[in-house]
Amino acid sequence: MSSSASRQAPRRTAAELLELLASMRFAVSLLVFICLASIVGTVLVQNQPSNNYVNQFGAFWYQVFETFSLYHVYNAWWFLLIMAFLVTSTTLCLVRTAPKMVRDMRSFRQNVRENSLRAFHHRAEFASAQAPEAMAGAAAGLLRQKGYAVRTRTDGEAVLVAAKTGSGNRLGYIFAHTAIVVICLGGLLDSELPIRLQIWLAGKQPLFDNMAIADVPPSGRLGVGNPSFRANILVPEGGQTRSAIVMVDDGALVQPLPFTLGLKKFIVEYYSTGMPRLFASEVEVTDPETGEHFPATIKVNEPLRYKGVTVYQSSFDDGGSTLELTGYTLRGTQSASFPVEGKVGESAKLVAEAAGGNDALKDLTVEFSGFRPINVENFAAARVGAAAPKALREHVASVTGSAARPGQNEDFRNVGPSVQYKLRDASGQAREFHNYMLPVEVDGVPVLLTGVRDNPDQDFRYVRIPADAEDSPREFLALRAALQDPQARALAARRFAMGNRQAAGGGADEVLTGQLQASAERALETFANGGLQSIARFLEGSVAAGEQQRAADVVVKLLGGAVAGLRSVARERAGLPPVPASGPQAEAAHAWNQAAVAALSDLFLYPAPVLLGLKDFHHVQASIFQMSRTPGKNAVYLGCLLLILGVFSMFYIRERRVWLWIKPGGPGAQALMAMTSQRRTMDFNQEFEQLKADMSALPPHHQG
């Protein structure tokens, strides 16, 4: 192969590559890929924590989707690469074709010949007694009246009249393709690309560990002049900040702000359903460069704009409320309580010595994750439901944050504050709990609701603990402790048996009374070792299948009476008066005992040795803001305008061209007219016929 041929081969390859990049089919192919990626980004929720996707799809499909960055499609490297190729392809296409189009728009195509015009489908011939110049002037005047731009050219004895209108149609192509370039550039500028470039090229490293902002190294901080970003920030009442957090995959970068934002007051109003009706933030903005400061109010859809940064009211949260709680032990034969203090967002160590040296609390840490002063719950099901035992998650149906249909508001009640916390053991395992401060009446009994779940993807499962006269769980927990005490169980069984003997008028056989006492004590012991589940297992192993239901009814009735006796023993130990034996108070006590049996059984499924009840609090609100600097939005607005103009031009502006070749003939002149358009529609045919008729009406000539 010669040296000249070897040099021409790379040139041909480069030319072919350039031809491919500038081709329409390549740009359309890229648009198809972008549309498919957009569908994925719409169907699959984007930018969620990794564990959410693992729980939803499983480890295998999570890894497959993560390989292609489907969880953050719009910032994936391949999506940005496709966008870059689309910009390049469209730009090359514009550079190659736009000059030709502009020249064609300005050209009247005066180089046509008579033979060329005879090849047109839409043509007509005229004869006139006027000279060619006079006929050309009359025809040019008519075309100008119809909105055509006209040029004439003399070619020997002949005169060519060239006219055109609707040349702006070609601008539609230029505007539409320019719009694609401008919108893509604006989108790339407002995407994570500037931040990704700083990670790839400038050594920025997202942080994956919790740390104070003051301890963040320079590699974890972006510049104040960062061209574009989207960040979030939480500001408690009375607090202020100059730094926001930019999330990058599962990590974060600190974005310094060109001003200080302080929250003076957070305002929230609720509908009767508990859904927020309005939330707004009264803030103060301080410019550190000039010392200028001014107040502002940020509401939903009413953001603050200052120094190129837009601050949106996104949501609200707890800002570090201080909490006073009472800890109640749930293990052993003693019912002990101890104080616990904490702050939302912080953790505290449970001290076993404070609970009477209860080793079950050793190495337990409580992490306070949330506090809500208002909880509006739907009690429609609780009002109409039976008093039969329910699944734990059916004890209460929370609809806070959702709107009720008209006519249902009577089912919604504010049940007061609640606290949310995690109990973490020495191995690092944790469960989350949600406890209400005030009792709620369910099935006619005031109960304290305490919920538990193993992970955030689950619903809370609630235990209903009957409250005492002081709206506390103390009497129930004293009953729980008595249930674990064999002496208390024996005393309660003896009192239950003697009570039945007295109810029978004292005539009951002592042997039967002893048997009843033994049965009651055995029922309490079985119940103390596993709740109703333990009794069910005992019946399955000792009673024939056909007799189990009848035996269960007897045992449950026996257990209810024994628990009532056990409650009397517990009240005596606590120095409380006996439960009334008759009247409305006795009926309320019976309902309380039934709720206590269900709660005692549920406690065996409650995976914590301690119950934390909210005693007092000092509420601190916090506002969550979303901050963004989006210089590309103006480019996107411009691109949208160009796209609208381009589409309008291409679809609603029709280019039409007319030529008249006028030459001497007979006593005057002979004219040949031809007309063409990009789209030969019915309107174009009618326009040609009208123009032909108008031309034939020009005096003094006749149609040939």
Side-chain angles (χ1 to χ4, degrees):
M1 181 181 294
S2 64
S3 59
S4 60
S6 62
R7 288 194 299 267
Q8 289 176 358
R11 293 176 182 175
R12 284 198 302 270
T13 303
E16 291 173 357
L17 180 60
L18 186 63
E19 180 68 23
L20 175 64
L21 288 175
S23 64
M24 181 62 70
R25 65 180 183 275
F26 185 72
V28 171
S29 301
L30 294 176
L31 282 173
V32 170
F33 278 112
I34 290 175
C35 290
L36 292 175
S38 299
I39 292 174
V40 173
T42 302
V43 174
L44 184 63
V45 180
Q46 300 287 290
N47 301 318
Q48 298 294 305
S50 300
N51 60 319
N52 289 9
Y53 297 117
V54 173
N55 294 333
Q56 184 176 1
F57 301 111
F60 174 78
W61 287 110
Y62 165 77
Q63 193 61 44
V64 172
F65 292 164
E66 178 64 19
T67 302
F68 297 99
S69 302
L70 297 185
Y71 305 127
H72 39 85
V73 168
Y74 304 113
N75 293 296
W77 65 268
W78 54 266
F79 185 84
L80 297 176
L81 185 63
I82 292 175
M83 291 281 287
F85 270 115
L86 180 60
V87 171
T88 303
S89 175
T90 310
T91 302
L92 289 175
C93 190
L94 270 175
V95 170
R96 190 175 67 169
T97 59
K100 298 178 182 178
M101 288 188 173
V102 172
R103 286 195 300 268
D104 189 61
M105 287 171 51
R106 300 175 62 182
S107 171
F108 283 82
R109 300 182 186 177
Q110 293 176 281
N111 57 345
V112 298
R113 309 300 295 174
E114 181 180 5
N115 292 337
S116 302
L117 297 180
R118 291 189 182 279
F120 280 67
H121 178 74
H122 293 80
R123 68 181 186 277
E125 294 188 38
F126 308 94
S128 175
Q130 299 185 81
E133 290 79 4
M135 184 179 180
L142 174 63
L143 290 170
R144 288 190 180 97
Q145 290 178 6
K146 291 182 175 291
Y148 284 81
V150 181
R151 294 289 186 274
T152 60
R153 180 177 66 85
T154 301
D155 189 350
E157 293 182 349
V159 178
L160 175 67
V161 178
K164 65 183 180 67
T165 187
S167 296
N169 173 272
R170 301 298 181 92
L171 290 175
Y173 176 90
I174 297 174
F175 285 165
H177 284 69
T178 304
I180 294 175
V181 175
V182 172
I183 290 175
C184 289
L185 288 176
L188 288 172
L189 184 59
D190 286 350
S191 70
E192 286 187 4
L193 182 59
I195 295 176
R196 297 279 180 178
L197 289 175
Q198 294 181 62
I199 295 174
W200 297 334
L201 304 176
K204 299 299 181 182
Q205 297 179 357
L207 305 172
F208 297 94
D209 299 323
N210 291 328
M211 65 176 64
I213 291 181
D215 298 332
V216 174
S219 61
R221 295 176 181 270
L222 299 169
V224 178
N226 188 23
S228 68
F229 62 84
R230 283 183 172 84
N232 294 292
I233 187 173
L234 184 145
V235 185
E237 285 182 331
Q240 61 181 19
T241 184
R242 278 199 64 188
S243 300
I245 304 300
V246 177
M247 301 305 299
V248 182
D249 299 334
D250 291 336
L253 291 169
V254 175
Q255 173 62 60
L257 301 174
F259 54 83
T260 300
L261 185 70
L263 179 62
K264 295 191 295 184
K265 184 179 181 182
F266 179 78
I267 303 168
V268 59
E269 298 177 4
Y270 296 91
Y271 290 108
S272 59
T273 61
M275 181 180 179
R277 184 176 68 86
L278 166 72
F279 48 94
S281 299
E282 295 182 358
V283 302
E284 184 167 270
V285 180
T286 303
D287 189 333
E289 295 181 358
T290 64
E292 176 189 4
H293 59 89
F294 59 90
T297 300
I298 304 174
K299 300 180 181 179
V300 177
N301 299 326
E302 296 182 19
L304 165 70
R305 294 181 175 88
Y306 185 64
K307 282 199 163 185
V309 177
T310 304
V311 184
Y312 299 92
Q313 179 69 63
S314 175
S315 184
F316 60 93
D317 205 343
D318 191 275
S321 299
T322 56
L323 308 173
E324 294 183 23
L325 303 97
T326 301
Y328 302 95
T329 58
L330 300 178
R331 300 288 187 269
T333 59
Q334 298 296 322
S335 177
S337 63
F338 56 96
V340 178
E341 294 184 355
K343 187 176 183 180
V344 175
E346 299 181 359
S347 60
K349 195 81 172 177
L350 293 182
V351 182
E353 288 74 14
N358 195 323
D359 290 337
L361 305 185
K362 189 176 181 181
D363 297 327
L364 276 182
T365 301
V366 56
E367 301 170 0
F368 298 102
S369 55
F371 169 77
R372 300 178 66 174
I374 295 176
N375 288 275
V376 178
E377 312 292 352
N378 181 6
F379 286 90
R383 190 183 68 239
V384 301
K390 300 177 176 62
L392 295 184
R393 67 186 301 271
E394 295 175 351
H395 288 330
V396 63
S398 174
V399 295
T400 304
S402 62
R405 295 189 298 272
Q408 287 188 326
N409 288 351
E410 65 272 13
D411 297 328
F412 293 93
R413 276 183 282 154
N414 177 19
V415 297
S418 68
V419 62
Q420 199 163 316
Y421 60 89
K422 293 180 180 179
L423 283 180
R424 191 176 301 276
D425 58 24
S427 65
Q429 298 296 317
R431 288 186 174 88
E432 194 169 14
F433 299 84
H434 183 213
N435 296 349
Y436 288 83
M437 180 179 183
L438 303 176
V440 177
E441 186 172 313
V442 179
D443 296 332
V445 179
V447 297
L448 294 164
L449 300 169
T450 173
V452 60
R453 64 183 180 187
D454 295 327
N455 59 70
D457 294 328
Q458 295 179 344
D459 293 332
F460 281 104
R461 307 182 304 276
Y462 286 89
V463 177
R464 301 185 299 183
I465 296 177
D468 57 21
E470 298 179 355
D471 292 338
S472 79
R474 293 182 184 276
E475 183 176 356
F476 169 80
L477 295 177
L479 176 62
R480 181 213 62 78
L483 180 64
Q484 299 301 319
D485 185 354
Q487 294 181 357
R489 293 198 301 265
L491 179 58
R494 184 165 61 252
R495 288 186 178 182
F496 170 70
M498 294 303 297
N500 276 271
R501 183 176 183 180
Q502 293 175 1
D509 191 343
E510 290 186 4
V511 176
L512 293 177
T513 301
Q515 292 176 347
L516 181 61
Q517 177 180 339
S519 298
E521 188 171 353
R522 189 181 308 112
L524 286 176
E525 181 181 3
T526 305
F527 185 69
N529 290 327
L532 296 175
Q533 297 86 348
S534 181
I535 290 179
R537 288 192 296 269
F538 171 77
L539 294 176
E540 289 175 359
S542 59
V543 180
E547 300 294 326
Q548 287 182 6
Q549 183 58 48
R550 189 175 63 163
D553 295 338
V554 173
V555 172
V556 168
K557 184 176 180 181
L558 179 68
L559 179 65
V563 168
L566 190 64
R567 183 186 180 189
S568 297
V569 173
R571 289 179 66 91
E572 284 182 9
R573 290 182 173 182
L576 298 175
V579 176
S582 61
Q585 291 182 336
E587 296 178 2
H590 178 68
W592 193 97
N593 293 341
Q594 286 184 322
V597 170
L600 287 169
S601 180
D602 287 345
L603 276 184
F604 289 99
L605 304 176
Y606 191 76
V610 63
L611 170 69
L612 300 183
L614 185 60
K615 179 182 178 182
D616 199 1
F617 60 87
H618 174 67
H619 187 213
V620 178
Q621 291 273 27
S623 194
I624 299 177
F625 299 108
Q626 185 181 78
M627 299 185 169
S628 65
R629 177 181 284 158
T630 53
K633 68 179 180 181
N634 294 328
V636 174
Y637 293 154
L638 175 61
C640 291
L641 177 61
L642 290 174
L643 186 61
I644 293 171
L645 293 175
V647 172
F648 179 85
S649 300
M650 288 190 291
F651 282 94
Y652 295 100
I653 298 178
R654 293 182 296 113
E655 183 185 33
R656 286 97 69 203
R657 290 181 180 269
V658 179
W659 294 271
L660 282 93
W661 184 270
I662 306 172
K663 64 181 180 179
Q670 186 74 28
L672 172 63
M673 183 184 76
M675 186 175 182
T676 187
S677 176
Q678 290 175 324
R679 295 189 299 273
R680 297 178 182 179
T681 62
M682 185 179 297
D683 291 339
F684 173 72
N685 294 330
Q686 294 176 353
E687 185 177 358
F688 173 73
E689 294 297 331
Q690 182 63 47
L691 181 60
K692 186 169 66 172
D694 293 340
M695 283 291 181
S696 64
L698 288 176
H701 71 277
H702 60 277
Q703 184 175 352

